Amino acid sequence: MNEKDFAELAAGAALHSLSADDEQRYREALAAHPEWRARVEDDAATAALLADPVEPVAPPAGIRAALLAQIAATPQSGAVDAGATPAAIGASPAEATVAGGSEGDASPQRTPRRWSRTVFALAACLAVLVGVGIGAVTLNQQLNPPASVVALQEIESAPDAEQATVALDDGGTATAHWSASTGKAVLVADGLPSPQEGKTYELWFVRGDAPVSAGVFDVDGGDATALLAGEMQAGDAIAVTVEQDGGSPTGQPTSDPVVVIPTA
């Protein structure tokens, strides 16, 4: 057996897909050629990578079709045209003698399957693409942060940045960050309970006795960073109420505020 044939068997062994006969040939070849063990270890590591759980990520468009097309185009057995000569199918001189039946009664030698290595390599590439997809999602989040995070960075970098913090009834805190020069305000909450199903939190600028809606926001595990919609004016208080999904239908608060942060 040459090293190319062994590579086919090694791929199948790593995927636990060898028949009993191929398994025996694989073990005998490995015993006769211990220098090929490095390939076995590489294939085992790749198979382990394929088995590692990852977060679901949509693979690149067309990858499934390309994989299936490659498998379909790869010969699935050792069958060849009856009129083909040994040279035409790449047989070695020794294999040609056996295949031609011109020497004694030597038994036909099994033609190793060629699909294992190709499918194994394609599967490994697919695993790498999935990993790249996960990395791309993370990188995209870093390169394209939410508007609330960008606004908070602008406020904190402004020379007139201000903030005020209040304690919440459930033990958390809510901090308002604002800057007159940027005209922006951001609420950062820690330990804010998630609203009941069908409800959401709505932000308000309170100007004197007139509340002005500043958008709704979600809570993730008790944490929230929300940019208030609209421009903050001097003396505005920042409040939060619980409203129905989508916000108050009247444009006015329909419940008592759960957060009120004076800014003056």
Side-chain angles (χ1 to χ4, degrees), residues 148-253:
S148 58
V149 173
V150 174
L152 181 59
Q153 292 172 343
E154 292 179 6
I155 292 170
E156 292 177 336
S157 300
D160 58 346
E162 296 185 73
Q163 68 179 58
T165 301
V166 297
L168 303 179
D169 292 341
D170 293 324
T173 60
T175 301
H177 299 261
W178 70 94
S179 160
S181 62
T182 65
K184 296 179 181 180
V186 171
L187 177 74
V188 178
D190 175 20
L192 183 65
S194 297
Q196 296 178 351
E197 186 175 356
K199 299 291 186 178
T200 190
Y201 286 116
E202 186 162 1
L203 292 157
W204 305 89
F205 288 120
V206 182
R207 293 173 183 155
D209 295 329
V212 178
S213 177
V216 298
F217 67 94
D218 296 322
V219 177
D220 183 8
D223 297 333
T225 300
L227 171 64
L228 281 77
E231 185 172 350
M232 181 177 179
Q233 297 182 8
D236 284 352
I238 294 174
V240 176
T241 61
V242 178
E243 305 293 342
Q244 68 181 49
D245 277 341
S248 170
T250 64
Q252 295 293 308

Side-chain angles (χ1 to χ4, degrees), residues 10-11 14 36-49 117 120 124:
W36 293 346
R37 181 166 294 278
R39 179 181 292 278
V40 174
E41 294 173 351
D42 287 345
D43 287 352
T46 302
L49 174 64
R117 195 85 213 158
F120 187 69

Side-chain angles (χ1 to χ4, degrees), residues 120-158:
F120 187 69
L122 287 172
C125 290
L126 181 59
V128 171
L129 286 173
V130 171
V132 170
I134 295 172
V137 171
T138 302
L139 181 60
N140 182 65
Q141 292 174 343
Q142 294 175 346
L143 295 178
N144 300 285
S148 58
V149 173
V150 174
L152 181 59
Q153 292 172 343
E154 292 179 6
I155 292 170
E156 292 177 336
S157 300

Side-chain angles (χ1 to χ4, degrees), residues 10-27:
L15 296 173
H16 304 288
S17 62
L18 293 181
S19 66
D21 290 343
D22 284 345
E23 181 74 23
Q24 182 177 354
R25 294 175 59 234
Y26 162 73
R27 294 187 179 280

